[in-house]
Amino acid sequence: MSGRPIIVFDSGVGGLTVLRELRVRMPDRRYLYVVDDAAFPYGDWDEDALKARILSLFGSLVDAHAPLAVVIACNTASTLVLPDLRARFDIPFVGTVPAIKPAAEQTRSGLVSVLATPGTVRRDYTRGLIESFARDCAVELVGASRLAAMAEAHLRGGALDPDALRAEIAPCFVERDGRRTDIVVLACTHYPFLVGAFRKVAPWPVDWLDPAEAIARQAAKVIGHTAPDLPEGFDRAVFTAGPPDYATRRLVHGFGLTAQG
Ligand code: DGL
């Protein structure tokens, strides 16, 4: 195996919420965190253009790094391109898709909301998950256009505007026939970074479902137990927009990553 990395991929820093759980499950692995920041945010992209971009990017990444496996730590990408990636490359791809099944199993009120990017909300894949697993629930799909960028800024030290946050999450909170939404699925990997702030501005308490731990469990299952081989030194983060600024370098350093352009 000798140091073949697990690639963890996102359009921004959201995938770090998945990376930290992967490290808990598989501490002996080498990780390569790949940020497609040149294309951030993915939420507003045309589907065909985004699919072509990600497939071509992985052509180069797989050639250059021979990864052991890839974790697409991004719902907006996974719900679009996961089947094509699996068909094209002969390595395991683990995706991040909205946790609609566990939400439907756990809700008591039957009112569940999915907080995602506008792209994830539009996907047939997401609608298919609702059809397959949440037919008995009322599922509210909420495409938030600003939250991923707010998370990016917040992690680099920027202040959060509570009114803007409140407005973005407000459509998640539904009251119907004396019942209320009791679960909000965090269906964008950036959002767990904001969950403390969400709790402060939410009109009532709900469970915020973060699938990162389940993704890490699935990744560990798929990758299996090969000999541990943690090489010395930090894992790396690479950025499609080129060398990142100081705030970003410092941020990823806090997650045990050395930034490279
Ligand atoms: N982190 C990504 C996701 O899980 C999306 C962020 C974006 O590019 O809009 O969907």
Side-chain angles (χ1 to χ4, degrees), residues 6 26 29 68-71 86 91-95 214-226:
I6 297 170
M26 295 179 284
R29 296 289 171 203
L68 186 61
V70 175
V71 178
R86 286 180 175 145
I91 43 170
F93 277 82
V94 176
I215 296 157
R217 207 179 324 124
Q218 173 64 12
K221 204 161 108 191
V222 166
I223 292 164
H225 296 284
T226 47

Side-chain angles (χ1 to χ4, degrees), residues 27-199:
D28 289 344
R29 296 289 171 203
R30 174 56 89 211
Y31 295 91
L32 176 68
Y33 189 68
V34 179
V35 187
D36 189 11
D37 54 339
F40 179 87
Y42 274 179
D44 299 328
W45 271 70
D46 164 79
E47 292 198 347
D48 289 338
L50 185 57
K51 194 185 272 196
R53 176 183 178 85
I54 295 172
L55 286 172
S56 126
L57 204 56
F58 270 97
S60 320
L61 287 169
V62 169
D63 279 353
H65 303 288
L68 186 61
V70 175
V71 178
I72 304 291
C74 173
N75 294 257
T76 316
S78 297
T79 51
L80 179 68
V81 74
L82 206 51
D84 299 80
L85 287 167
R86 286 180 175 145
R88 186 164 304 185
F89 301 102
D90 195 18
I91 43 170
F93 277 82
V94 176
T96 307
V97 301
I100 288 167
K101 184 169 185 259
E105 287 163 0
Q106 288 166 36
T107 178
R108 290 169 306 279
S109 71
L111 301 184
V112 165
S113 293
V114 177
L115 184 61
T117 66
T120 299
V121 161
R122 277 195 303 271
R123 303 274 188 262
D124 293 340
Y125 193 105
T126 305
R127 311 227 167 223
L129 289 174
I130 296 173
E131 271 291 295
S132 309
F133 302 115
R135 283 192 142 177
D136 299 335
C137 300
V139 180
E140 191 72 20
L141 288 173
V142 179
S145 47
R146 298 171 59 199
L147 284 180
M150 287 165 80
E152 292 276 334
H154 177 55
L155 279 175
R156 291 169 175 83
L160 286 170
D161 172 355
D163 292 330
L165 269 184
R166 194 176 292 114
E168 292 284 299
I169 67 167
C172 293
F173 291 83
V174 177
E175 291 192 273
R176 193 175 297 151
D177 308 326
R179 293 174 298 137
R180 286 171 156 187
T181 303
D182 62 354
I183 299 194
V184 177
V185 176
L186 297 171
C188 168
T189 52
H190 281 71
Y191 301 169
F193 284 129
L194 298 175
V195 77
F198 289 162
R199 285 201 177 95

Side-chain angles (χ1 to χ4, degrees), residues 235-250:
D235 289 327
R236 288 184 305 138
V238 295
F239 297 79
T240 57
D245 60 15
Y246 173 71
T248 304
R249 292 203 309 277
R250 194 183 54 182

